[in-house]
Amino acid sequence: MEYLEFELPIKELEDQLQKCKIIGEESEVDVTETCAQIEKKLKAAQKDIYKNLTPWQRVQMSRHPERPYTLDYIKALCGDSFLELHGDRSFKDDKAMIGGLGKIGDQTYMFIGQQKGYNTKTRQYRNFGMANPEGYRKALRLMKSAEKFGIPVVTLLDTPGAYPGLEAEERGQGEAIARNILEMTRLKVPIITIVVGEGASGGALGIGVGDKVLMLENTWYSVISPESCSSILWRSWEYKEQAAEALKLTATDMKKLKLVDEIIKEPLGGAHRDRAKTFSSVSNAITKSYEAFKNLSPKELVSQRMEKYAQMGVFKG
């Protein structure tokens, strides 16, 4: 288990508990009471730390190296029923954006999401979860296929942003994202969007327009990352914690601003601490959300979605 800096007091107590148990196993000494005391301290420390996370600490949690990624969710939710689909039929297959058909129970969904790598080799292969224009065009192609066959769409957001390279701009990165946003507002099937990690900038928004937008508890969703914001405003990355605070990027902030509809609770300590529980919560949230939209006509669906986004940012003086 890897620990973030603010989790070190928990690590110390977990190490103590482990040593205490080993002593009990290897000797005749009764350590039951000592172990119980350490466990009590550990629970109190976990509660204290995880219930009072700062926005920057939540950003760190969303990037935890052991946190489940898009493919982990899809495999857990769909099992062997997932069929990955490739290519944008125009340039190439973008490995940072994955998509395909999968079943939760008896219902088929079109899953689309950004995939990060979990070690150096796979991070390069997946381009760190930063999609090129062909990734967004692949996503749109799959959404259009889903619309044709009346299949609901589930998008999973986890990206530090769309790839900002020269070749991406040459192939129309901005146009590809804008086209997706336009087409998603009028797609005639339900769209359920879940932020499972980082939701940064237009890179996330390119697959982020949904009838129901949900965020996992320790994720963030913002126009810019705290580091980039800090480097623009203060010409340094040192103020990233202040930037995270000012950007109002946590799930709680987004819910308060009515930019997302629901927060999915995570196990104490983050999604990676109890993957099975996290996958179950996400699966239930998808099924519940689909139930709310499945009986609407395409016209009602699009009209509600348009109305939802038209309400955002409305200010009454």
Side-chain angles (χ1 to χ4, degrees):
M1 176 70 74
E2 284 194 43
Y3 293 84
L4 300 167
E5 201 179 325
F6 64 86
E7 293 178 305
L8 291 179
I10 292 168
K11 183 185 186 303
E12 280 174 29
L13 286 165
E14 282 182 348
D15 288 347
Q16 279 178 28
L17 185 62
Q18 193 62 30
K19 281 175 191 168
C20 185
K21 283 177 178 173
I22 289 167
I23 289 166
E25 283 164 17
E26 291 178 354
S27 67
E28 299 295 308
V29 184
D30 183 14
V31 292
T32 322
E33 203 172 308
T34 314
C35 284
Q37 282 176 343
I38 298 169
E39 266 176 15
K40 198 178 171 187
K41 272 187 192 172
L42 178 61
K43 276 180 185 164
Q46 284 175 328
K47 230 174 192 173
D48 186 47
I49 288 169
Y50 294 125
K51 294 283 183 235
N52 302 299
L53 292 177
T54 66
W56 172 244
Q57 285 169 342
R58 294 223 187 258
V59 172
Q60 288 177 293
M61 289 283 278
S62 77
R63 296 171 178 166
H64 197 287
E66 287 169 21
R67 195 177 173 84
Y69 294 136
T70 296
L71 267 175
D72 298 320
Y73 284 98
I74 292 172
K75 281 172 185 165
L77 301 181
C78 306
D80 296 334
S81 72
F82 181 62
L83 171 71
E84 191 175 349
L85 301 166
H86 299 273
D88 69 339
R89 298 292 181 271
S90 158
F91 184 69
K92 70 170 189 179
D93 184 39
D94 189 338
K95 304 297 182 195
M97 184 77 75
I98 57 161
L101 295 160
K103 279 188 168 187
I104 298 178
D106 293 329
Q107 177 60 48
T108 302
Y109 296 89
M110 179 67 81
F111 287 92
I112 296 164
Q114 291 107 348
Q115 173 68 18
K116 292 176 174 176
Y118 46 87
N119 58 28
T120 309
K121 203 173 178 181
T122 54
R123 281 181 195 128
Q124 284 179 316
Y125 179 70
R126 298 285 180 190
N127 199 30
F128 298 85
M130 296 189 288
N132 276 284
E134 53 273 17
Y136 292 99
R137 291 182 180 126
K138 168 163 81 169
L140 182 57
R141 179 178 77 77
L142 299 185
M143 285 185 231
K144 285 291 185 186
S145 296
E147 182 182 53
K148 185 178 175 183
F149 297 108
I151 297 166
V153 174
V154 174
T155 63
L156 302 168
L157 276 51
D158 187 12
T159 179
Y163 184 58
L166 178 64
E167 61 274 33
E169 299 298 340
E170 285 172 347
R171 292 198 297 277
Q173 185 72 287
E175 187 276 337
I177 291 170
R179 169 78 51 200
N180 276 23
I181 294 169
L182 170 68
E183 295 292 350
M184 286 180 89
T185 56
R186 57 191 189 193
L187 205 72
K188 293 181 175 68
V189 289
I191 308 171
I192 300 152
T193 295
I194 305 174
V195 185
V196 295
E198 301 184 86
S201 193
L205 208 55
I207 57 165
V209 178
D211 297 293
K212 188 83 172 269
V213 182
L214 307 108
M215 285 178 79
L216 279 160
E217 196 180 352
N218 294 311
T219 61
W220 62 277
Y221 200 9
S222 174
V223 70
I224 193 169
S225 71
E227 295 94 327
S228 303
C229 177
S230 171
S231 64
I232 290 169
L233 294 181
W234 290 282
R235 299 275 183 271
S236 158
W237 277 30
E238 280 175 32
Y239 300 92
K240 54 188 182 284
E241 292 179 38
Q242 278 167 258
E245 187 77 46
L247 282 166
K248 302 285 178 223
L249 42 65
T250 66
T252 317
D253 291 323
M254 296 298 283
K255 178 93 164 52
K256 205 180 281 179
L257 294 166
K258 295 189 169 69
L259 296 172
V260 301
D261 303 299
E262 219 172 281
I263 298 168
I264 301 171
K265 291 275 297 169
E266 288 185 25
L268 193 68
H272 56 284
R273 285 276 181 164
D274 187 345
R275 286 182 167 221
K277 195 176 175 185
T278 307
F279 296 147
S280 171
S281 301
V282 170
S283 178
N284 293 339
I286 292 170
T287 308
K288 191 177 146 201
S289 302
Y290 177 59
E291 288 296 318
F293 297 112
K294 70 175 184 183
N295 296 323
L296 295 177
S297 71
K299 197 176 177 184
E300 288 172 318
L301 197 63
V302 172
S303 167
Q304 270 191 29
R305 195 183 303 143
M306 289 285 206
E307 181 61 27
K308 172 187 163 146
Y309 280 89
Q311 290 298 316
M312 287 182 185
V314 170
F315 178 75
K316 293 186 179 77

